Amino acid sequence: MASIVKKRISGKTYLYAATSARVDGQPRIVDQVYLGAEDEVIARLTGQAGGGDPALPAATVHRRFGDVAAVWSVLTRLDAIAVIDGVVGDAKVPGGTTVGTYVALAALNRICDPRSKAGFADWSATTSLGRITGLAARMVDHRRFWDAMDRVDLVQLDAVETALTRRMIDVFGLDTHGLVLDMTNFATFIDSTNTRAPVAARGKAKQKRYDLRLVGLGLVATRDGGIPLLSRVYPGSQPDVTQFTPMIEELARRYTTAVEAPGRLTLTFDAGQNSTPNFTRLAELGLRFVGSVPPSEHPGLLARPAGDRALVGGRYGEEGLTVLDARARVLGADRRVLLTHSPTLHAAQQVGFAQTLAKATGALDELAARLARGRTRRGRAAVEADIRSILAPRWVTRVLAVELTGDTPATFRLTWRRDETSQATLEEEIFGKRILVTDHDDWTVEQVIDAYRSQEDLEAGFRQAKDPHVVSFSPIRHFTDHKIRVHLFTCVFALAVAHLMRREAERAGLRLSVPALLGELGGIGETVLL
């Protein structure tokens, strides 16, 4: 929507032609063009002005400014270019600038408007980046980026990440007593015949793209804002649990001496990382932990009556969270466990399970109607396979009882019933419950729960990494192992900078997600008068 905006400056009114649009549901000015002083514009429109006014601009150029300038300010505060060049060397790429500058520019683009290196120059021309950095257009050609990527070997890449991590901790005062570990994978569009990228392999796709080759990524981030400190790229065919030990060994190598002393650093992770060797290695490295175990592995705890649980204090008490502090055998050792029950989680699982049951009963009704018409030629084994598929979702077989009668396809009949008592028992036994495990016998219940819930920031970071518009890791447009690893390092660094910005905004009283924050900043433009 276009409108005329008046601005009062030093007692004089100036006019701007503004274009508004909704950004994240809020009206924002997304473009504006300077028209001139109000009295001069009126004079021109009414024919009262004679000739052109040499004081007025001949033309205007509007450029993207707010988000680009904000990201560059954080990169400058970190002295990121100097840190990177301190490891790689400050020799300039032929026809360009230093490797550190290109890494910083690539990270900035991943945050503000992710696109390929081939599209960087055109995008940069629409922003204030050239004025801010002083770089000529020829210096941001995509070939210069590729040359810069070739200058960094994988050993240097680890050293750069370590140096940047120390810098982020020092400059932003990050708390590293508690860290969070999680893993995910990203789909690529690398051709199946490409032999130059073995890190891209088919596996269990978390984006459900089982037809594509995957690249795995593990991150260790702070509980304090979800800032990534350590990354590890691995073949997408490898299960997450197999990468846990290499990651914690690298964590110990890099940070238990440089950041925290062994025994003071506590790592939080989810049940997907559980294995006896992993827990053993944690103890050997002197790392403390907070994790979880599948409730189904401890039916005795689930069966304990609600009266055995106590209301958790503080803000958790406001949400009605209750806990049972107990001991249990977990992965070969007697450990402290917390059985928690959240009314909010309980209600959400009820809604989700009701939707699952509705889908299953609808499919059963459809199958029963098809059999009742007596025109099917499918044998019993095929029909029973259909029934098993319908009942496959978790917990459905505990609630729905199905019977298939008849001896031939023409006489097959299907009936089913829903057991309300079984459903009530299921909800009382499982819904709303989690089982946390820790080696911190000295921590309060609230401290353990705080540590476990700190995973939410890193999980949000992974969701952000798969957003195609802001801080996006995908699509991965590189086709060799080396360039994929450099690209993912750049993306992890971009994610760290974005979360540092969100953390700073939150400390200033602005509780915004990364997309919301960048949306607000993106509404600030720069108009150049020519």
Side-chain angles (χ1 to χ4, degrees):
M1 181 178 68
S3 61
I4 301 297
V5 175
K6 294 184 179 183
K7 295 186 180 180
R8 191 79 173 169
I9 303 174
S10 300
K12 192 170 183 177
T13 302
Y14 297 88
L15 301 183
Y16 294 78
T19 301
S20 301
R22 285 194 170 272
V23 178
D24 294 329
Q26 299 295 322
R28 296 281 184 269
I29 293 177
V30 296
D31 191 20
Q32 65 180 7
V33 177
Y34 173 72
L35 300 178
E38 182 179 39
D39 55 349
E40 294 168 350
V41 171
I42 293 173
R44 289 200 303 273
L45 292 177
T46 57
Q48 297 175 14
D53 185 345
L56 294 176
T60 62
V61 176
H62 185 69
R63 293 175 180 154
R64 188 168 180 166
F65 173 77
D67 51 353
V68 171
V71 174
W72 192 256
S73 72
V74 175
L75 293 170
T76 302
R77 187 173 170 187
L78 287 172
D79 203 13
I81 294 173
V83 170
I84 296 168
D85 289 340
V87 175
V88 180
D90 58 2
K92 294 183 177 180
V93 172
T97 182
T98 67
V99 171
T101 304
Y102 286 114
V103 171
L105 290 173
L108 181 147
N109 178 251
R110 300 316 296 181
I111 296 170
C112 297
D113 193 3
R115 57 187 59 217
S116 67
K117 305 298 185 294
F120 184 93
D122 289 341
W123 171 79
S124 177
T126 68
T127 76
S128 303
L129 200 53
R131 180 182 64 78
I132 294 171
T133 63
L135 297 176
R138 61 178 174 77
M139 300 174 74
V140 293
D141 180 83
H142 61 281
R143 288 164 292 194
R144 304 291 81 79
F145 280 94
W146 294 340
D147 291 342
M149 294 173 80
D150 289 337
R151 288 274 189 93
V152 188
D153 63 41
L154 298 184
V155 174
Q156 289 175 326
L157 207 59
D158 285 347
V160 167
E161 185 176 71
T162 302
L164 285 172
T165 292
R166 289 172 177 161
R167 183 68 178 165
M168 287 188 289
I169 292 168
D170 291 342
V171 172
F172 287 90
L174 302 181
D175 181 359
T176 56
H177 288 92
L179 302 178
V180 183
L181 183 151
D182 203 358
M183 303 184 198
T184 191
N185 54 46
F186 298 91
T188 74
F189 294 94
I190 297 175
D191 189 88
S192 298
T193 60
N194 182 345
T195 59
R196 295 181 298 163
V199 74
R202 285 185 170 80
K204 186 177 180 181
K206 298 185 180 182
Q207 293 170 287
K208 310 301 181 186
R209 291 302 305 266
Y210 300 109
D211 57 321
L212 300 176
R213 293 167 67 175
L214 310 172
V215 176
L217 177 68
L219 290 182
V220 174
T222 64
R223 287 173 51 191
D224 177 20
I227 316 298
L229 301 181
L230 165 69
S231 64
R232 177 179 172 81
V233 179
Y234 58 93
S237 57
Q238 298 293 321
D240 293 350
V241 69
T242 65
Q243 302 304 308
F244 184 86
T245 292
M247 284 200 68
I248 62 173
E249 289 175 343
E250 181 66 12
L251 176 68
R253 185 182 72 81
R254 288 196 200 179
Y255 301 118
T256 52
T257 54
V259 179
E260 292 295 345
R264 293 184 59 195
L265 195 155
T266 299
L267 196 62
T268 301
F269 50 89
D270 62 28
Q273 317 305 329
N274 290 355
S275 73
T276 300
N278 287 347
F279 274 62
T280 300
R281 192 64 179 135
L282 277 169
E284 291 171 349
L285 293 171
L287 298 174
R288 312 298 295 274
F289 70 88
V290 173
S292 65
V293 294
S296 58
E297 294 181 1
H298 296 275
L301 280 174
L302 295 179
R304 295 281 291 269
D308 288 354
R309 301 192 302 267
L311 188 67
V312 183
R315 67 182 187 280
Y316 296 122
E318 295 175 7
E319 67 179 70
L321 189 72
T322 56
V323 65
L324 169 64
D325 196 344
R327 309 288 302 184
R329 192 79 178 170
V330 178
L331 295 173
D334 178 69
R335 306 182 192 274
R336 183 189 185 190
V337 293
L338 302 183
L339 171 67
T340 67
H341 178 270
S342 165
T344 304
L345 176 61
H346 189 121
Q349 289 180 320
Q350 281 182 316
V351 171
F353 189 54
Q355 294 171 344
T356 300
L357 282 181
K359 183 177 180 180
T361 55
L364 289 173
D365 285 339
E366 183 180 336
L367 178 58
R370 189 163 67 245
L371 295 176
R373 290 193 289 270
R375 296 182 180 180
T376 183
R377 296 183 179 180
R378 306 183 72 202
R380 175 175 284 272
V383 175
E384 288 177 342
D386 286 343
I387 295 171
R388 285 194 298 272
S389 177
I390 293 170
L391 300 180
R394 187 169 57 164
W395 305 322
V396 170
T397 55
R398 290 188 56 170
V399 175
L400 298 183
V402 179
E403 183 179 9
L404 178 66
T405 60
D407 300 318
T408 63
T411 61
F412 286 157
R413 297 294 182 270
L414 177 69
T415 58
W416 63 271
R417 67 181 181 84
R418 178 173 171 175
D419 190 330
E420 300 285 353
T421 301
S422 294
Q423 183 171 349
T425 302
L426 168 71
E427 294 184 5
E428 174 64 26
E429 175 189 333
I430 295 176
F431 283 17
K433 294 180 180 178
R434 283 197 175 99
I435 299 178
L436 314 185
V437 59
T438 182
D439 62 348
H440 271 294
D441 295 336
D442 55 321
W443 277 13
T444 66
V445 164
E446 289 85 351
Q447 286 176 304
V448 177
I449 296 172
D450 280 343
Y452 183 77
R453 290 197 177 184
S454 65
Q455 295 177 87
E456 295 171 1
D457 280 341
L458 183 52
E459 290 167 354
F462 275 141
R463 289 193 297 273
Q464 187 61 61
K466 296 177 182 181
D467 181 333
H469 306 296
V470 180
V471 201
S472 176
F473 285 40
S474 300
I476 298 175
R477 302 178 190 270
H478 302 284
F479 303 96
T480 65
D481 256 21
H482 178 265
K483 280 193 169 64
I484 288 172
R485 291 173 188 271
V486 176
H487 167 77
L488 287 176
F489 162 76
T490 302
C491 293
V492 171
F493 182 42
L495 186 64
V497 171
H499 278 288
L500 285 171
M501 293 170 61
R502 180 184 61 79
R503 179 178 179 269
E504 290 292 281
E506 184 171 325
R507 294 194 167 196
L510 299 174
R511 294 186 61 85
L512 297 170
S513 65
V514 168
L517 175 61
L518 291 170
E520 292 285 339
L521 291 168
I524 304 172
E526 174 183 84
T527 299
V528 181
L529 310 181
L530 305 178

